[in-house]
C-alpha cells in the first residue's frame, strides 16, 4: 500500500512495446536503473509500467532493440495537477473549503433533541440556546454542567437533561418527570351552588349534604350541596363534591351587516435568506413590509442521516392583507352568521350536551341577526369555598 501511494504521488505510466527483441529492452532498462513492474507479454507486444520520469529514458534503448513504444495510461499526482493547472479557481476553492472546515470544526453544526414527549422541542431549544447550545456556537465554551442545572430549574416536567457532543453535533437528551397523581384535597370546606338556572335531571353527591332533589328547578346561586352539617351537637365542615346534571337554556346572537369591510389577501411575495452557522444573510433587497399581512416560513437545509447541516435557505412568504368594502346578499349574510354561530357552539358547548337547538333570523335593509336558542344538559355545580373565621 505504501509503495503504491509513493508511485501515485510521483506519477506512473503504462506502455506497450512492440517488436522482435523485448528481452534486449528489458536488459537495457535494468542497466539504466529503470524500474519496471506489471510486465507481461501478449504475442509480439510487451506490456509494462514505470515511473513517469523514467519513460523518456526508455526511448533510445527501444530504438536499438527494434521496439516501438506507445503510452496507454497516465496516472498520479503530477498528471492530476497538470489537468487543473489552468483552473486555479478550483484549487483555491478546495483549499478554502479545507481551511473553512478546520476553522468551523470547533463549532456546533447541528442541535438535536430526544427523549421529550410532553415538553415541546421548541421550549427545550429556546432554553438551551440561552446557554450557548445553538448552531455556530464554539464547542470549547460550553459548560455542560451549568447548562444541565439551569435547564432543569427552568423547564417544568424534566427530571434529567444533558448535552452530549458527537463531533460537531450537540445532542440534547432528557428524561421527563412522571406526572404526580392528583391528590384530592378535602380539608377546605366548600358548598356546591348552581352556576346558572336549570331543571335538575340527576344528582351524584360524593361528599356533603344535598339541599335539592331531582326534578327541582333552581336559579343561579342556589345552594345545591352544603358542606356544613350538624353532628354530635356541633357544626361539621367538609368539602362538597358531586355532579348535578340539569337541563339548561342558552341563547347567543350573531349580527352580520350587509355592507361590511373585510380583510382580503393579495398576491403573495417571497423573501429568501441564506443561513450559515446561525448567521442569516438576506438574499433580497430591503423594502418595508405591508402594514397588515400573514406570513409563512419554510426551510430547506440538507441532511446527512439524522443530522441537519448548518447551511441552507429559509423562505418567508408574505400575504398582504387590505381592507375592502363588500356588499352581501341576504343569503350570504345568513350563511356568514350561521358559520360564526357554529364556531361559537364548538367552543361554548365543548363539555355540554345539546338536546335541542333552533335558529331565529331577523333581517332588515342593513343587517342579518341570527339568534341560536339551545336546550342543553350540563353539570351546573360550581364549588364555593366556605370562609371560616379563626
Amino acid at each position: 500500500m505504501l509503495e503504491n501511494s509513493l508511485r501515485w504521488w510521483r506519477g506512473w505510466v503504462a506502455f506497450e512495446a512492440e517488436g522482435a527483441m523485448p528481452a534486449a529492452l528489458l536488459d537495457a532498462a535494468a542497466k539504466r536503473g529503470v524500474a519496471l513492474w506489471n510486465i507481461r507479454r501478449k504475442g509480439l507486444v510487451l506490456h509494462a509500467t514505470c515511473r513517469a520520469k523514467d519513460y523518456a529514458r526508455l526511448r533510445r534503448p527501444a530504438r536499438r532493440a527494434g521496439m516501438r513504444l506507445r503510452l496507454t495510461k497516465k496516472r498520479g499526482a503530477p498528471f492530476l495537477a497538470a489537468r487543473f493547472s489552468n483552473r486555479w479557481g478550483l484549487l483555491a476553492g478546495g483549499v478554502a473549503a479545507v481551511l473553512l472546515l478546520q476553522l468551523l470544526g470547533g463549532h456546533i453544526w447541528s442541535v438535536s433533541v430526544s427523549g421529550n414527549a410532553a415538553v415541546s422541542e421548541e421550549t427545550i431549544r429556546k432554553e438551551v440556546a440561552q446557554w450557548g447550545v445553538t448552531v455556530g456556537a464554539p464547542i470549547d465554551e460550553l459548560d455542560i454542567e451549568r447548562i444541565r442545572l439551569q435547564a432543569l430549574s427552568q423547564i417544568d416536567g424534566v427530571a434529567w437533561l444533558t448535552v452530549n457532543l458527537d463531533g460537531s453535533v450537540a445532542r440534547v437528551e432528557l428524561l421527563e418527570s412522571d406526572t404526580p397523581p392528583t391528590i384530592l384535597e378535602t380539608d377546605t370546606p366548600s358548598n356546591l351552588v348552581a352556576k346558572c338556572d336549570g331543571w335538575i335531571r340527576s344528582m351524584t353527591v360524593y361528599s356533603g349534604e344535598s339541599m335539592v332533589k331531582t326534578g327541582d328547578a333552581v336559579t343561579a346561586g342556589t345552594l345545591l350541596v352544603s358542606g356544613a352539617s350538624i353532628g354530635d351537637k356541633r357544626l361539621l365542615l367538609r368539602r362538597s363534591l358531586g355532579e348535578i346534571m340539569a337541563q339548561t337554556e342558552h341563547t347567543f346572537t350573531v349580527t352580520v351587516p350587509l355592507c361590511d369591510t373585510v380583510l382580503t389577501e393579495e398576491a403573495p411575495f417571497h423573501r429568501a435568506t441564506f443561513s450559515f452557522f446561525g448567521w442569516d444573510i438576506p438574499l433580497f433587497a430591503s423594502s418595508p413590509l405591508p402594514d397588515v399581512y400573514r406570513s409563512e416560513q419554510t426551510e430547506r437545509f440538507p441532511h446527512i442521516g439524522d443530522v441537519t447541516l448548518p447551511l441552507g435557505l429559509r423562505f418567508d412568504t408574505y400575504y398582504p392583507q387590505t381592507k375592502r368594502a363588500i356588499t352581501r346578499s341576504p343569503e350570504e349574510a345568513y350563511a356568514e352568521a350561521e358559520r360564526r354561530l357554529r364556531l361559537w357552539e364548538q367552543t361554548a358547548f365543548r363539555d355540554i350536551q345539546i338536546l335541542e337547538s333552533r335558529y331565529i333570523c331577523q333581517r332588515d335593509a342593513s343587517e342579518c341577526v341570527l339568534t341560536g336558542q339551545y336546550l342543553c344538559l350540563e353539570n351546573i355545580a360550581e364549588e364555593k369555598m366556605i370562609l371560616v373565621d379563626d
Side-chain angles (χ1 to χ4, degrees):
M1 183 181 297
L2 178 59
E3 184 178 0
N4 289 335
S5 298
L6 291 175
R7 288 173 179 175
W8 188 88
W9 281 107
R10 294 173 179 173
W12 56 267
V13 297
F15 64 90
E16 295 177 349
E18 185 176 359
M21 302 177 62
L25 176 60
L26 296 177
D27 290 341
K31 291 178 182 180
R32 292 172 177 266
V34 177
L36 300 177
W37 64 91
N38 292 337
I39 302 172
R40 62 189 185 280
R41 184 174 179 179
K42 293 183 179 180
L44 298 179
V45 180
L46 176 70
H47 298 266
T49 306
C50 68
R51 291 189 300 178
K53 68 177 184 178
D54 290 338
Y55 178 72
R57 299 170 60 189
L58 295 175
R59 294 187 180 278
R60 183 176 295 178
R63 285 196 298 269
R64 292 179 178 176
M67 305 290 289
R68 185 176 61 182
L69 299 179
R70 185 173 67 88
L71 280 175
T72 59
K73 188 180 296 184
K74 296 186 292 184
R75 294 291 186 273
F79 301 109
L80 186 63
R83 182 185 304 175
F84 295 101
S85 59
N86 295 327
R87 301 180 182 178
W88 292 105
L90 292 177
L91 179 61
V95 173
V98 173
L99 293 177
L100 188 62
L101 289 174
Q102 291 294 328
L103 177 64
L104 299 177
H107 294 71
I108 296 177
W109 285 36
S110 178
V111 178
S112 65
V113 178
S114 61
N116 61 306
V119 183
S120 68
E121 181 174 330
E122 182 181 0
T123 299
I124 299 169
R125 287 182 177 272
K126 285 183 178 180
E127 185 60 36
V128 298
Q130 298 180 16
W131 306 102
V133 185
T134 184
V135 173
I139 293 177
D140 55 2
E141 296 183 4
L142 295 180
D143 188 344
I144 303 300
E145 185 63 21
R146 183 184 181 189
I147 295 170
R148 186 180 69 83
L149 293 176
Q150 291 293 337
L152 287 176
S153 63
Q154 296 296 326
I155 306 177
D156 295 332
V158 176
W160 174 84
L161 182 144
T162 190
V163 180
N164 293 320
L165 296 174
D166 183 7
S168 295
V169 179
R171 302 188 184 275
V172 182
E173 301 178 359
L174 59 100
L175 288 176
E176 295 180 339
S177 55
D178 296 331
T179 303
T182 302
I183 299 176
L184 186 61
E185 197 274 322
T186 59
D187 295 334
T188 303
S190 64
N191 296 323
L192 295 183
V193 300
K195 61 183 177 181
C196 61
D197 300 346
W199 173 39
I200 299 176
R201 301 289 296 273
S202 66
M203 299 180 59
T204 305
V205 178
Y206 303 107
S207 176
E209 184 176 352
S210 300
M211 307 302 293
V212 293
K213 61 183 183 298
T214 301
D216 288 352
V218 297
T219 58
T222 300
L223 179 62
L224 303 176
V225 179
S226 176
S229 60
I230 302 295
D232 295 333
K233 299 182 180 181
R234 63 189 180 94
L235 180 65
L236 301 178
L237 297 177
R238 54 184 168 177
R239 182 179 181 182
S240 297
L241 299 172
E243 184 180 70
I244 311 300
M245 301 300 296
Q247 182 176 300
T248 60
E249 295 181 357
H250 297 277
T251 302
F252 187 73
T253 300
V254 173
T255 301
V256 177
L258 299 184
C259 295
D260 200 0
T261 301
V262 297
L263 287 175
T264 59
E265 288 188 352
E266 298 181 352
F269 63 92
H270 311 276
R271 286 183 173 181
T273 302
F274 177 68
S275 180
F276 181 76
F277 277 86
W279 298 318
D280 290 336
I281 304 173
L283 302 179
F284 55 88
S286 179
S287 59
L289 293 173
D291 295 334
V292 183
Y293 61 86
R294 180 176 64 87
S295 64
E296 296 177 353
Q297 187 178 88
T298 57
E299 295 180 346
R300 294 181 183 176
F301 284 76
H303 299 264
I304 299 179
D306 62 342
V307 177
T308 302
L309 297 184
L311 71 165
L313 293 174
R314 186 175 292 113
F315 298 93
D316 293 287
T317 303
Y318 297 91
Y319 299 86
Q321 296 180 335
T322 58
K323 292 183 178 180
R324 182 171 62 91
I326 64 169
T327 300
R328 299 186 179 96
S329 66
E331 293 75 15
E332 292 173 338
Y334 180 86
E336 175 63 18
E338 186 179 19
R339 185 187 68 84
R340 296 181 187 181
L341 203 57
R342 297 291 187 187
L343 290 177
W344 176 83
E345 292 173 1
Q346 294 175 7
T347 303
F349 297 146
R350 182 179 294 112
D351 301 320
I352 298 176
Q353 179 184 355
I354 300 177
L355 301 177
E356 296 179 10
S357 65
R358 67 170 181 167
Y359 293 162
I360 300 176
C361 180
Q362 295 178 341
R363 301 174 182 174
D364 56 28
S366 62
E367 62 185 13
C368 172
V369 180
L370 185 63
T371 301
Q373 296 180 346
Y374 307 92
L375 186 64
C376 303
L377 183 64
E378 61 179 303
N379 180 18
I380 63 171
E382 182 178 25
E383 187 175 11
K384 297 288 186 179
M385 299 301 162
I386 300 176
L387 300 180
V388 180
D389 296 332
D390 294 335

